[in-house]
Amino acid sequence: MRRHLVLQRPMPMFETNDIFLPCLAALAGAVVFWLATWRRLLGMRKLWRAACIELDAARGEIVRLKKAAQYDHLTGLPNRTLLDEQMKKAIAHAKASQSHFVALFMDLDEFKTVNDTMGHHAGDQLLVLVGERLRQVMQDQGMVARIGGDEFVVIAAIGHPDDGAALLDKIERSFDRPFLLEHTPFAISASIGLAVYPEHGSTIKGLLSTADGEMYRRKRVQDDVPPQEREGTSGRRRANR
């Protein structure tokens, strides 16, 4: 009897699919994971950019609101709120250093005439021009504030109490030049009262009250001067002294 030799194929250690499919699944899972992670990162980046934009907008709004609360909307000058803050600092500094500062309270003598004859738009224009003129006179040596209507306050550090009068005279002389309203020169003067810390007061209310009272006293004296004796703005002011 002839024997047939049957060769058996050796059984493989593992099937190809046993490792390929899990590897493929792991690779697919990794791709999905990184895609999801990248998508989340992109989303976070967008959220971060959006948050930064919102933060910048919020900061801008805070600055705008702070400016609106501290500055006059018409002239851009500090208003009464900021004036009070600066006067508190000036008083504290002058008290600590035993120095002086001056507060000048002023209003415009012919302002009502401008409003009545040329209209409120011309009055607003005049207020803006007066504010610019006062800033030019001070040249960052003090602060000019508009506290309402045609009323302005100037505060400045001075070396000696008598220096306040020199500053007052300098501001008065600045009104010698007419203001150009609607392409027409318009002469206007200002009544100014002076108060020096600490000689005329040691508080904000005391200093402004003294300066305000001095302003009205000078205005009454000015009204008593006959027109023919008035030599322009500065001459009229010198007649009041």
Side-chain angles (χ1 to χ4, degrees):
M1 176 180 295
R2 182 181 298 178
R3 294 181 178 180
H4 297 280
L5 181 62
V6 178
L7 298 178
Q8 294 181 350
R9 200 171 56 178
M11 182 175 293
M13 295 298 295
F14 53 83
E15 294 291 338
T16 303
N17 289 343
D18 291 342
I19 188 170
F20 177 74
L21 291 179
C23 288
L24 184 62
L27 179 62
V31 171
V32 171
F33 172 78
W34 284 111
L35 286 176
T37 302
W38 182 248
R39 184 177 180 181
R40 285 195 295 270
L41 289 175
L42 288 177
M44 291 177 63
R45 184 179 179 184
K46 291 180 180 178
L47 288 175
W48 175 254
R49 290 176 62 183
C52 289
I53 292 173
E54 290 294 330
L55 182 59
D56 289 341
R59 287 174 177 171
E61 183 65 11
I62 291 173
V63 172
R64 187 189 69 80
L65 291 175
K66 185 177 180 180
K67 184 174 182 180
Q70 294 183 329
Y71 290 86
D72 176 50
H73 72 281
L74 178 63
T75 63
L77 295 173
N79 61 14
R80 180 59 186 262
T81 300
L82 186 53
L83 173 67
D84 285 350
E85 292 181 10
Q86 293 303 313
M87 288 191 71
K88 287 179 182 178
K89 294 179 181 179
I91 290 173
H93 174 75
K95 185 177 181 180
S97 61
Q98 295 185 343
S99 57
H100 308 270
F101 76 91
V102 65
L104 302 175
F105 199 112
M106 71 184 74
D107 73 4
L108 308 180
D109 297 324
E110 292 83 15
F111 185 67
K112 186 176 185 301
T113 301
V114 174
N115 278 335
D116 292 344
T117 61
M118 303 180 67
H120 289 280
H121 63 285
D124 289 346
Q125 182 186 2
L126 177 60
L127 292 173
V128 172
L129 294 175
V130 168
E132 293 175 352
R133 181 78 58 86
L134 293 174
R135 275 187 290 209
Q136 291 172 3
V137 172
M138 297 306 299
Q139 296 181 348
D140 299 326
Q141 295 178 357
M143 189 181 78
V144 181
R146 180 191 175 213
I147 62 173
D150 62 329
E151 295 180 333
F152 295 84
V153 172
V154 173
I155 60 173
I158 53 176
H160 188 275
D162 294 340
D163 294 338
L167 178 59
L168 187 151
D169 187 67
K170 183 179 179 181
I171 293 176
E172 285 181 345
R173 291 180 182 277
S174 72
F175 283 83
D176 286 351
R177 291 181 288 117
F179 294 89
L180 196 63
L181 295 180
E182 299 181 349
H183 309 290
T184 302
F186 190 91
I188 194 170
S189 58
S191 295
I192 309 175
L194 177 150
V196 177
Y197 176 91
E199 282 75 9
H200 301 141
S202 58
T203 64
I204 297 173
K205 182 178 180 180
L207 288 167
L208 293 182
S209 178
T210 299
D212 186 34
E214 178 65 12
M215 179 195 73
Y216 278 104
R217 186 193 70 80
R218 291 166 60 87
K219 187 184 289 287
R220 287 193 299 269
V221 172
Q222 170 192 313
D223 292 339
D224 293 337
V225 177
Q228 61 271 20
E229 295 182 14
R230 300 175 184 176
E231 305 170 3
T233 302
S234 296
R236 175 164 47 185
R237 290 293 179 273
R238 285 192 291 273
N240 295 342
R241 299 176 184 172

